[in-house]
Amino acid sequence: MKIFALFGNPTGHSLSPLMHNAAYSKMGIDARYVAFCVDDIESAVGGIRGLNICGVSITIPFKSAVMKCLDAVDDSALKIGAVNTIVNRDGILTGHNTDWLGLSIALKEHMKIEGNTFVILGAGGTARAAVYAVQKERGIPIILNRTVEKGGELAAEFGCDSYHMDNIENIRADCLINTTPVGMDPDTEKSPVKNDIISNFGCVVDVIYNPLRTKLLRNAEKAGCPVLSGLDMFVHQGAEQIKIWTGMEPPREYMKEVVLQRLKPGDKNGD
Ligand code: NAP
């Protein structure tokens, strides 16, 4: 049996074990995916070799810290500055980032990226993946962050514009992507932006998937704006991990359905 794992802290809330195990079962692969709440990432990475774990997902707060523990890191993960996937090939551990790819695939299923402008709210790890994804497909990212210095640093690194979040009312763009945790369960009545500016954007994307319809997305829907939740990104980033680990195409629609079933029925069907 092949063993795959999730390293993070905390991991109790994660839907990755459910999604991955469902996928392996459907694919007929004899494998288990297990979540570990990690205290010491360096020792945990040593355990990958010691226990012959085939692949590991990395989540908060270790996506950057884990990089120095690996034998190699691919170009995308290096540029983003975060690893969410480790593959173990004969004891050689290589880091990848599938967050940007998950977002890129999800976006491209719904809109053209090339030539369009994307306001990215936030300047953390997911914002970095979002900026990378947009630029990779020749879109134009604009960073808006609460801490203006952090947004400025990210913008300088990627060669794009950045502003303080309060300037959002002066900005129009084809798409707004929220990468802040504002609106995530249990703070489901919070939105990172005021309602009256939503119509300045052609569509609204939230990387949060719990709840599926965040306050931001509910407001956008009321304003007649097309919306996309973080569920598609979540499924595709996990599917891309499975592809790296097994070389096989995973059942993405089935994985999405399994996660949807677990999320609250109220989330699935509306208010
Ligand atoms: P992070 O590195 O901690 O960055 C969070 C960013 O949000 C920071 O720029 C921070 O601004 C901003 N922020 C936090 N609280 C805020 C508030 N109250 N008002 C305004 N801005 C605020 O976090 P992350 O790892 O990027 O994760 C962000 C979200 O993405 C989480 O909800 C996570 O679950 C989600 N995510 C989803 C997927 C998926 O597959 N769908 C994958 C990865 C992550 P400052 O710089 O001012 O502190």
Side-chain angles (χ1 to χ4, degrees), residues 212-213 259-271:
L212 278 174
R213 295 170 73 246
V259 177
L260 264 176
Q261 295 294 335
R262 176 61 64 89
L263 294 166
K264 296 171 202 142
D267 281 335
K268 190 175 167 183
N269 299 320
D271 278 326

Side-chain angles (χ1 to χ4, degrees), residues 7-9 38-46 48 56-73 77-78 80-86 93 95-97 125 128:
F7 289 175
N9 190 345
V38 167
D39 288 325
D40 175 352
I41 189 65
E42 210 172 329
S43 313
V45 169
I48 299 173
V56 176
S57 311
I58 302 292
T59 189
I60 290 173
F62 300 121
K63 286 184 183 181
S64 297
V66 77
M67 294 174 77
K68 65 177 190 316
C69 311
L70 304 175
D71 300 307
V73 174
L78 265 183
I80 294 164
V83 159
N84 79 326
T85 311
I86 300 172
L93 305 185
H96 303 264
N97 186 304
R128 296 180 68 87

Side-chain angles (χ1 to χ4, degrees), residues 113-118 131 133-141:
I113 298 179
E114 185 173 356
N116 281 330
T117 46
F118 293 77
V131 171
V134 167
Q135 285 189 335
K136 186 100 177 156
E137 293 292 331
R138 293 180 292 281
I140 303 141

Side-chain angles (χ1 to χ4, degrees), residues 228-249:
L228 178 63
S229 89
L231 177 63
D232 291 30
M233 173 185 177
F234 177 66
V235 169
H236 288 305
Q237 63 77 32
E240 292 299 320
Q241 294 183 320
I242 294 175
K243 241 171 103 170
I244 290 172
W245 293 335
T246 68
M248 292 165 72
E249 175 57 31

Side-chain angles (χ1 to χ4, degrees), residues 34-194:
V34 190
F36 291 95
C37 185
V38 167
D39 288 325
D40 175 352
I41 189 65
E42 210 172 329
S43 313
V45 169
I48 299 173
R49 292 192 192 89
L51 296 166
N52 198 21
I53 296 173
C54 302
V56 176
S57 311
I58 302 292
T59 189
I60 290 173
F62 300 121
K63 286 184 183 181
S64 297
V66 77
M67 294 174 77
K68 65 177 190 316
C69 311
L70 304 175
D71 300 307
V73 174
D74 80 4
D75 288 346
S76 305
L78 265 183
K79 175 84 177 152
I80 294 164
V83 159
N84 79 326
T85 311
I86 300 172
V87 62
N88 177 6
R89 295 209 202 290
D90 301 322
I92 308 291
L93 305 185
T94 306
H96 303 264
N97 186 304
T98 67
D99 282 334
W100 77 269
L101 198 49
L103 179 61
S104 179
I105 295 169
L107 281 177
K108 284 191 285 183
E109 284 173 347
H110 291 85
M111 68 179 294
K112 189 164 85 86
I113 298 179
E114 185 173 356
N116 281 330
T117 46
F118 293 77
V119 162
I120 293 165
L121 290 179
T126 311
R128 296 180 68 87
V131 171
Y132 183 83
V134 167
Q135 285 189 335
K136 186 100 177 156
E137 293 292 331
R138 293 180 292 281
I140 303 141
I142 303 167
I143 298 156
L144 262 64
N145 197 41
R146 175 180 63 176
T147 309
V148 74
E149 296 79 14
K150 202 169 153 194
E153 280 165 27
L154 176 55
E157 205 179 313
F158 282 84
C160 57
D161 289 335
S162 76
Y163 303 95
H164 190 276
M165 224 177 222
D166 288 350
N167 291 320
I168 193 164
E169 56 203 46
N170 303 317
I171 297 173
R172 275 148 190 72
D174 297 297
C175 182
L176 173 70
I177 305 179
N178 174 43
T179 75
T180 79
V182 180
M184 195 161 72
D185 188 61
D187 292 323
T188 55
E189 287 311 308
K190 288 189 180 155
S191 169
V193 299
K194 286 193 199 131

